[in-house]
Amino acid sequence: MRAAVLYSTVPPGTSYAEAQPLVVQELSRPEPRAGELGVTVTYSSLCHSDLSVVDGSRVRPLPMALGHEAVGRVAAVGEGVTDVAVGDHVVLVFVPSCGSCRACLAGRPALCHRAAEVNGSGDLLHGEALLRTPAGERINHHLGVSAFADYAVVARESVVVIDDDVPDTVAAMFGCAVLTGMGAVLNTAAIKEGQSVAVFGLGAVGLSAVMAAALAGASAVIAIDPNKAKHGLAMKCGATAVGTPEDATRLIAEAAGDGVDIAVEAVGSARVIASCLGHVTRGGAVVSVGLPHPTAELTVPALQFAGAGKRLLGSYMGDAVPDRDIPLYLGYWREGRLPVELLHTDTKPLAEINEGLDALAAGQVVRRLFQA
């Protein structure tokens, strides 16, 4: 099997094409154990969560085979798996919920305690890491998926079986970007028709949040990003107004008076989270989706909460229930109400993964897909 492995991090601002932090190499192909599946990966896509591991802002055990958003076909079935068959079309998801921890039992599998533990250690839900370097050294799995590869062994709980008619170039983006952005609006914020929404940060997650707000019948969907090249795309995704951060106050006042009902922060910035609290009306909610640096701290006027009834809500993987939400969102796509294909910028060979990191860091792509 071929996989892209990160052996050491490089600081932000580095030319990834020159540094080549991800090494695409041949590895021994492992077989699935009990409770696991072997999946032939057809497309994987590059996300800021991958970039944050490469630049060291999300600390993970190295070496690690990266990639967490992908689509493929089941190639092998481990012992005890009876509801998935070889040849099934599957979307990979990065939280393999155990089903028995307090979060799973409360109906919030995206916050699974066991998944958080093994995702942090680089293991799989049903056992320790399987991948090895050519010299026999352990390679950690990225979020239970390690999808920058032509093959992956994953927990059964890391896949959602989908219909064969969904193009892989569309399905590839459902396991992270669509789940996270759509879920932030539909699940975490629980938007009501007629409410107003502002989305800060127009990567694939933010644009998915824009789509969700439009789908839900928001009265206004204001999309904010300093990269003006993304503004036209946001309008195609359903925004009613677009602008830079300098435009936000004016656009929100024009559309929603003293503030929007829901502000989605999809940047990964404590400063933007704080500003979002100032952009929501009394009783409004800020949904934090981005991943700030672990050392970042948030300082806001405390009276905004009890005094103005504002809420600050964290949203991990969009509070999704993947087995429920992926089929639901694919239904919206079939109806023409969720133009996910707009997120697909281009497709490249896996050998160009490091150049893809540069393009993502520079804001030149929304979702670049890779084929091993």
Side-chain angles (χ1 to χ4, degrees):
M1 62 173 283
R2 298 178 72 236
V5 182
L6 179 69
Y7 285 92
S8 60
T9 60
V10 294
T14 301
S15 167
Y16 300 108
E18 292 180 5
Q20 295 285 301
L22 287 170
V23 179
V24 180
Q25 61 185 152
E26 293 289 336
L27 305 175
S28 296
R29 173 171 160 158
E31 293 300 320
R33 299 166 295 199
E36 296 176 341
L37 300 169
V39 176
T40 299
V41 178
T42 51
Y43 290 93
S44 56
S45 61
L46 182 59
C47 172
H48 271 95
S49 295
D50 304 305
L51 181 58
S52 68
V53 177
V54 174
D55 69 20
S57 59
R58 302 296 294 174
V59 178
R60 298 290 182 185
L62 303 180
M64 175 170 277
L66 287 192
H68 67 283
E69 184 179 77
V71 63
R73 298 275 176 174
V74 175
V77 177
E79 180 183 351
V81 178
T82 59
D83 59 341
V84 180
V86 170
D88 279 352
H89 197 199
V90 293
V91 169
L92 303 182
V93 295
F94 64 92
V95 179
S97 54
C98 71
S100 59
C101 71
R102 63 190 296 180
C104 288
L105 292 174
R108 304 189 72 187
L111 298 179
C112 174
H113 293 231
R114 176 63 179 155
E117 177 185 342
V118 297
N119 280 359
S121 67
D123 293 306
L124 297 177
L125 189 66
H126 298 293
E128 65 180 30
L130 287 170
L131 300 175
R132 295 293 182 270
T133 69
E137 180 185 3
R138 167 184 164 127
I139 297 175
N140 295 290
H141 296 260
H142 185 213
L143 301 176
V145 179
S146 293
F148 293 151
D150 57 9
Y151 175 82
V153 171
V154 301
R156 161 63 186 92
E157 294 85 353
S158 290
V159 310
V160 174
V161 178
I162 63 172
D163 292 335
D164 288 334
D165 68 319
V166 184
D168 281 0
T169 52
V170 170
M173 298 176 283
F174 273 77
C176 175
V178 176
L179 270 188
T180 301
M182 291 281 293
V185 174
L186 302 182
N187 296 331
T188 309
I191 185 175
K192 296 179 176 61
E193 185 177 0
Q195 289 187 312
S196 54
V197 179
V199 178
F200 290 77
L202 300 178
V205 170
L207 289 169
S208 294
V210 168
M211 292 184 199
L215 178 76
S219 60
V221 184
I222 302 146
I224 302 295
D225 197 289
N227 186 348
K228 293 182 180 179
K230 295 182 178 181
H231 291 180
L233 181 56
M235 294 297 288
K236 292 179 181 177
C237 289
T240 57
V242 294
T244 66
E246 293 73 25
D247 301 321
T249 298
R250 173 180 59 82
L251 291 175
I252 288 172
E254 290 173 355
D258 68 344
V260 291
D261 297 296
I262 298 164
V264 178
E265 183 279 326
V267 179
S269 164
R271 178 183 56 81
V272 176
I273 295 171
S275 71
C276 283
L277 276 165
H279 287 308
V280 295
T281 186
R282 293 176 62 83
V286 174
V287 181
S288 175
V289 179
L291 294 173
H293 192 279
T295 61
E297 295 185 352
L298 178 65
T299 302
V300 297
L303 192 58
Q304 293 187 85
F305 300 108
K310 297 182 181 182
R311 294 167 292 148
L312 176 56
L313 307 173
S315 183
Y316 190 63
M317 202 172 74
D319 279 317
V321 180
D323 285 334
R324 176 197 70 196
D325 292 344
I326 288 178
L328 176 64
Y329 299 164
L330 281 171
Y332 295 145
W333 170 79
R334 281 195 184 88
E335 294 167 2
R337 302 168 63 198
L338 188 64
V340 172
E341 59 275 3
L342 293 175
L343 305 179
H344 178 200
T345 304
D346 55 24
T347 301
K348 299 289 183 179
L350 186 60
E352 297 181 20
I353 186 71
N354 289 297
E355 289 79 1
L357 294 170
D358 284 325
L360 183 64
Q364 298 169 349
V365 297
V366 176
R367 270 299 190 263
R368 173 166 286 177
L369 303 187
F370 291 94
Q371 288 181 297

